[in-house]
Amino acid sequence: MKNFSVNETQLASLPRRRREHAEKLLQLVERVLQEDVPSEIRRPEDVYQLVAAEMSSLPNEHFVAIMLNVKNRVISKETIGIGTLNGAIVHPRELFRKAILKNATSIICVHNHPSGDPTPSQEDIKVTKRLYDAGEIVDINVLDHIIVGVEGFVSLKQLGMM
């Protein structure tokens, strides 16, 4: 049931009783999905659990930043850029502007590989270094850069690339 969505027009077209059942079911699904989301990030697996369902099978690269507070609790999850099949352009100013506006003390960068293989490219490593260095300047820690795909995930920090 990938990419399942229902809009208000579709719900409104249902008979009243079916619409009420559908709305209750959607509320239940939303609650179940929220239960699995970790509120505090302690390890790369927590990040993967937070983003895998929506990011692992996207047709284009999406670069997302998870904004964290002092206790590594998720403040926000922001899409910074949407790219092509094999790349997404990310500028430090866009990333850190959003982090500053959210009062984040640290961030975790995440992007997907539409190919399904989460192995980092040389460009991924270069961008990570650039973002890490920029974070040092503005005093917002870049804790990790995680690449997701249908084959799993890779943490650049775990690989020693940060």
Side-chain angles (χ1 to χ4, degrees):
M1 192 164 66
K2 291 183 181 179
N3 299 326
F4 177 77
S5 65
V6 176
N7 63 42
E8 289 183 30
T9 306
Q10 291 171 314
L11 284 176
S13 68
L14 292 172
R16 184 187 61 80
R17 195 153 161 74
R18 281 190 172 182
R19 184 178 61 247
E20 289 171 358
H21 286 293
E23 288 170 346
K24 287 178 184 176
L25 181 60
L26 289 171
Q27 289 172 357
L28 178 62
V29 168
E30 187 174 309
R31 230 182 350 217
V32 167
L33 290 173
Q34 288 174 350
E35 286 175 6
D36 290 340
V37 174
S39 62
E40 186 176 343
I41 303 296
R42 294 187 179 142
R43 54 202 177 100
E45 291 80 4
D46 294 336
V47 175
Y48 184 67
Q49 183 181 2
L50 181 66
V51 302
E54 66 186 87
M55 288 188 73
S56 60
S57 61
L58 292 170
N60 296 333
E61 280 200 14
H62 285 60
F63 191 97
V64 171
I66 299 172
M67 313 290 177
L68 304 171
N69 69 12
V70 167
K71 297 189 180 233
N72 284 350
R73 291 202 173 104
V74 177
I75 298 170
S76 178
K77 187 173 63 169
E78 303 285 329
T79 298
I80 306 301
I82 298 173
T84 62
L85 183 62
N86 62 352
I89 296 172
V90 181
H91 293 287
R93 68 179 168 266
E94 304 301 326
L95 173 63
F96 290 105
R97 179 183 336 125
K98 289 188 178 190
I100 289 166
L101 290 172
K102 294 290 183 178
N103 291 320
T105 57
S106 57
I107 60 170
I108 297 174
C109 300
V110 184
H111 83 276
N112 67 307
H113 278 179
S115 68
D117 179 3
T119 305
S121 67
Q122 288 303 311
E123 185 63 23
D124 293 337
I125 296 164
K126 190 169 116 181
V127 166
T128 301
K129 170 111 177 77
R130 192 167 161 218
L131 295 174
Y132 182 87
D133 291 346
E136 297 260 304
I137 293 168
V138 296
D139 198 29
I140 297 175
N141 298 319
V142 178
L143 301 179
D144 204 343
H145 184 168
I146 295 176
I147 303 169
V148 300
V150 292
E151 296 175 13
F153 74 95
V154 170
S155 159
L156 273 69
K157 184 172 186 171
Q158 284 183 332
L159 293 177
M161 297 180 176
M162 298 186 62

